[in-house]
Amino acid sequence: MLDRAVIDGLFPADLPEPEFWEEKYPQRELADGAKVTRLGPSPTGFIHIGGIYAGMIDRDISTKTGGVYLIRIEDTDQSREVEGALAQFDRGFDYFGIASDEDVTKGAYGPYMQSQREQIYLTYVRHLLRQGKAYLCFATKEELADITGRQQANKVPTGYYGKWAIWRDADASDVAAKLADGTPYVVRFRAPDDADGQRTRFTDAIRGELEHEANRNDAVILKASDQSPRLPTYHFAHAVDDHLMRVNLIIRGDEWISSVPLHLQLFAALEFEPIQYAHIAPLMKQIPGGKRKLSKRKDPEAGVDFYIGAGFPADAVLYYLRGLANGRLAEVPLAEALAAPIQLDQCGVAGPLVDLVKLEDISADHIATLSGQQILDAVRVWAREYDAELVPVLDAEPELALRALAVERDGVENPRKDLRKWSDFRTAYAFFFPALFELVSGPSDERIAALGVAPEVVTAFAQDLVATYEHRDDASEWFNQIRDLAAKHGFAANAKEYKKDPDAYPGSIREASQLVRVAITGATKSPDLHATTQALGAEETLRRLKALAGTA
């Protein structure tokens, strides 16, 4: 073990003692049972929908217990930081309304970025070195590779432990020589001598009693001394940060279960009270023959921006995610589910499947409950970022937009569900707006030609309709004028009659109606045609019919 003077000489002379940080970050004054939770996104990539899932659970439990939810940016791996990741974190949390009580902008337990907490970490690394619970390691990459190779050849577990930990019990003079030469080093945690072959038992808030092989490895806790700033590894940083931020419930992915033995050893070595863990199952994707973890690298729907860009309403996504967390919440109405508490002991241990079809159905059901004004406002906000051309169109004709949204929605028992997300608005409603609608170009237009009616019949029928058109309020009366004109121009009264002798007719009333529908909406499938013309108004309806007649 190195002399204290040698150890202290490796650190800034004004580095505080642990007592300073304990006093600076006192125990929180919260009611019994209040949970302090945290989310620790890393800017090495954009946030996964699983991050929103975990943050939703963190936020819910802290709120329901009268606790605190904080966001801490875990940016110790600065070499892999992705530009724009931090802004994307904010965008995701804001969109889904997962507001934190403490983060980089507020809170008394910061800084809330690990890269700004260097002094804190150094204090506790020095503390462990002084006690002989950590040591300097000068092993090179080549030496580490050689150790791994020999371990594999001897068919023993790989790692830096026991006799393989070549600097664990190094002579102080050898360490001093390396320091004098300026050789870079890392600081390693000295795993307990009796860890090999032992088991670690702990209680998980979701999974109950768990048991895992004890950690035997002397894990790196402080990265290379030739780096600036001197930052710790995740294992050490989270132990120090969660203790000083007075977190008392850590909710994280189940891939960290195997690290719990090391983390508990670190808490013990630092003389911190251990914190309760809750390991949630990862979100999964169905694939042929089974399922796998939802991957940001492989699956667009894994990224939060996928949902924001597509315009899924935040409440619909949160409702869906809450149902994945606690199955009982999927069986109750959205508003009730959003208000009900998430129960950790009801979280499954098998990864729930993310089903976009199911999410779209939920989203469509939710949107169908909104007023036209609510939909219009939401679409406008979404379009400002993702469909800028749509914004001036909506701003120029808001009343037309509301009339369009009312078609087959207002005053009906089963409203239309053609909007599953805001990006569907163009597909479903663009044809209502003259600025976005492409008029048919007469009988030769491919949309009209596809109906199979002779061009001369189309022209004659359309010209007659334009000349006699009445914009009637009553749907039956409005359609009767089309029926009467269809009969006049030789269309069969129904499809059955037409099929009996197709050569005797240019088509049936169905084809005649479709000519009108395509001329007015641009497609053979659309909302109720009479209601559509009422929303458009007489002038715009006639303008579209004239295009069919070739007189526009």
Side-chain angles (χ1 to χ4, degrees):
M1 181 171 162
L2 292 177
D3 290 339
R4 178 167 176 148
V6 174
I7 292 171
D8 288 357
L10 302 175
F11 297 89
D14 60 349
L15 189 67
E17 295 296 325
E19 292 75 19
F20 172 83
W21 303 115
E22 296 289 340
E23 184 177 340
K24 181 177 174 65
Y25 304 113
Q27 292 291 338
R28 297 174 183 269
E29 296 182 3
L30 298 171
D32 289 346
K35 297 300 182 184
V36 180
T37 63
R38 54 80 165 165
L39 187 70
S42 169
T44 53
F46 297 140
I47 196 164
H48 191 286
I49 190 64
I52 298 299
Y53 180 67
M56 172 194 73
I57 298 173
D58 281 320
R59 170 77 276 176
D60 187 86
I61 289 175
S62 66
T63 300
K64 298 297 192 302
T65 60
V68 174
Y69 165 55
L70 63 92
I71 293 177
R72 181 177 69 230
I73 304 300
E74 299 187 342
D75 60 341
T76 58
D77 193 355
Q78 296 189 315
S79 65
R80 294 175 55 226
E81 188 165 324
V82 173
E83 185 176 355
L86 292 176
Q88 195 259 0
F89 293 169
D90 291 340
R91 187 162 63 248
F93 297 140
D94 288 347
Y95 188 83
F96 289 104
I98 307 176
S100 54
D101 300 307
E102 298 174 6
D103 54 39
V104 294
T105 67
K106 57 187 180 295
Y109 287 77
Y112 293 89
M113 294 185 73
Q114 289 184 331
S115 61
Q116 298 172 9
R117 298 172 64 84
E118 179 184 14
Q119 268 207 326
I120 300 173
Y121 304 132
L122 293 180
T123 289
Y124 287 95
V125 170
R126 183 182 65 183
H127 182 63
L128 291 186
L129 283 170
R130 286 172 174 175
Q131 296 180 314
K133 296 176 180 177
Y135 62 91
L136 308 188
C137 175
F138 299 88
T140 64
K141 290 181 180 179
E142 292 75 19
E143 288 173 323
L144 293 174
D146 176 66
I147 290 170
T148 300
R150 287 189 287 126
Q151 288 171 333
Q152 291 172 337
N154 285 278
K155 298 182 179 179
V156 298
T158 58
Y160 197 85
Y161 63 92
K163 70 176 184 179
W164 306 101
I166 55 179
W167 286 93
R168 179 182 173 97
D169 296 311
D171 190 275
S173 61
D174 292 334
V175 174
K178 287 290 187 180
L179 289 174
D181 288 343
T183 305
Y185 62 87
V186 298
V187 177
R188 288 184 181 271
F189 171 64
R190 183 184 293 272
D193 293 330
D194 61 354
D196 194 19
Q198 298 299 309
R199 305 289 292 178
T200 298
R201 295 174 179 83
F202 57 96
T203 302
D204 186 280
I206 292 173
R207 297 160 188 268
E209 296 297 319
L210 294 180
E211 181 179 301
H212 204 280
E213 182 181 5
N215 170 65
R216 68 165 68 88
N217 279 293
D218 290 355
V220 173
I221 58 174
L222 188 66
K223 298 177 184 180
S225 57
D226 57 353
Q227 295 182 7
S228 181
R230 292 291 305 281
L231 294 176
T233 57
Y234 166 80
H235 300 295
F236 188 74
H238 108 279
V240 172
D241 290 343
D242 287 334
H243 170 72
L244 292 178
M245 291 178 172
R246 309 304 174 179
V247 172
N248 57 19
L249 176 63
I250 298 173
I251 301 169
R252 62 185 184 183
D254 65 3
E255 69 270 19
W256 291 105
I257 290 177
S258 61
S259 297
V260 172
L262 168 60
H263 296 166
L264 293 178
Q265 288 174 355
L266 288 170
F267 275 97
L270 291 163
E271 300 175 24
F272 296 162
E273 284 292 322
I275 298 173
Q276 185 173 37
Y277 290 104
H279 291 93
I280 55 178
L283 300 180
M284 307 293 283
K285 180 184 178 76
Q286 189 75 52
I287 59 173
K291 61 181 182 178
R292 59 166 170 75
K293 287 183 181 181
L294 198 61
S295 165
K296 280 193 292 186
R297 202 162 42 84
K298 299 177 182 178
D299 308 313
E301 69 271 27
V304 169
D305 279 343
F306 170 84
Y307 300 89
I308 300 175
F312 283 95
D315 280 353
V317 178
L318 290 174
Y319 173 61
Y320 180 60
L321 293 178
R322 291 173 82 84
L324 295 182
N326 283 178
R328 64 184 169 83
L329 298 180
E331 307 302 322
V332 300
L334 182 144
E336 183 180 338
L338 293 183
I342 292 174
Q343 304 288 351
L344 285 179
D345 60 3
Q346 293 181 15
C347 290
V349 297
L353 287 170
V354 174
D355 183 345
L356 286 181
V357 174
K358 177 65 174 175
L359 174 59
E360 289 203 347
D361 287 344
I362 287 171
S363 185
D365 289 341
H366 171 58
I367 292 173
T369 69
L370 303 178
S371 70
Q373 189 63 58
Q374 287 174 309
I375 294 172
L376 181 57
D377 291 344
V379 170
R380 186 184 283 115
V381 170
W382 170 84
R384 278 203 295 266
E385 181 70 25
Y386 298 100
D387 190 353
E389 182 190 55
L390 185 59
V391 177
V393 175
L394 297 177
D395 288 346
E397 300 194 79
E399 294 306 317
L400 172 58
L402 291 174
R403 292 197 304 272
L405 287 166
V407 173
E408 293 185 348
R409 291 187 74 257
D410 288 3
V412 298
E413 187 174 339
N414 295 307
R416 291 176 66 202
K417 295 179 181 178
D418 50 356
L419 285 181
R420 295 173 174 267
K421 48 195 180 298
W422 308 134
S423 57
D424 292 340
F425 186 86
R426 262 190 184 264
T427 302
Y429 291 96
F431 75 86
F432 279 96
F433 300 91
L436 301 176
F437 181 70
E438 181 186 354
L439 291 170
V440 300
S441 55
S444 61
D445 188 292
E446 63 180 14
R447 293 168 292 176
I448 296 297
L451 298 174
V453 180
E456 61 274 14
V457 175
V458 173
T459 300
F461 171 77
Q463 288 179 348
D464 214 351
L465 179 58
V466 167
T468 61
Y469 180 77
E470 294 182 10
H471 200 67
R472 297 170 179 173
D473 294 336
D474 183 88
S476 295
E477 292 182 4
W478 181 86
F479 186 71
N480 281 340
Q481 66 183 317
I482 297 173
R483 186 183 300 279
D484 292 344
L485 279 178
K488 176 182 175 181
H489 288 273
F491 288 88
N494 54 59
K496 185 177 181 180
E497 184 179 326
Y498 174 58
K499 285 181 180 179
K500 285 181 180 179
D501 190 2
D503 293 335
Y505 308 98
S508 71
I509 183 62
R510 179 184 180 279
E511 283 70 37
S513 299
Q514 289 290 57
L515 289 173
V516 178
R517 186 178 297 277
V518 172
I520 292 174
T521 71
T524 56
K525 294 182 179 180
S526 69
D528 180 81
L529 195 52
H530 174 259
T532 297
T533 63
Q534 295 301 296
L536 290 172
E539 183 177 346
E540 178 62 17
T541 299
L542 265 173
R543 184 178 81 93
R544 298 183 182 194
L545 292 175
K546 287 178 179 178
L548 177 64
T551 58

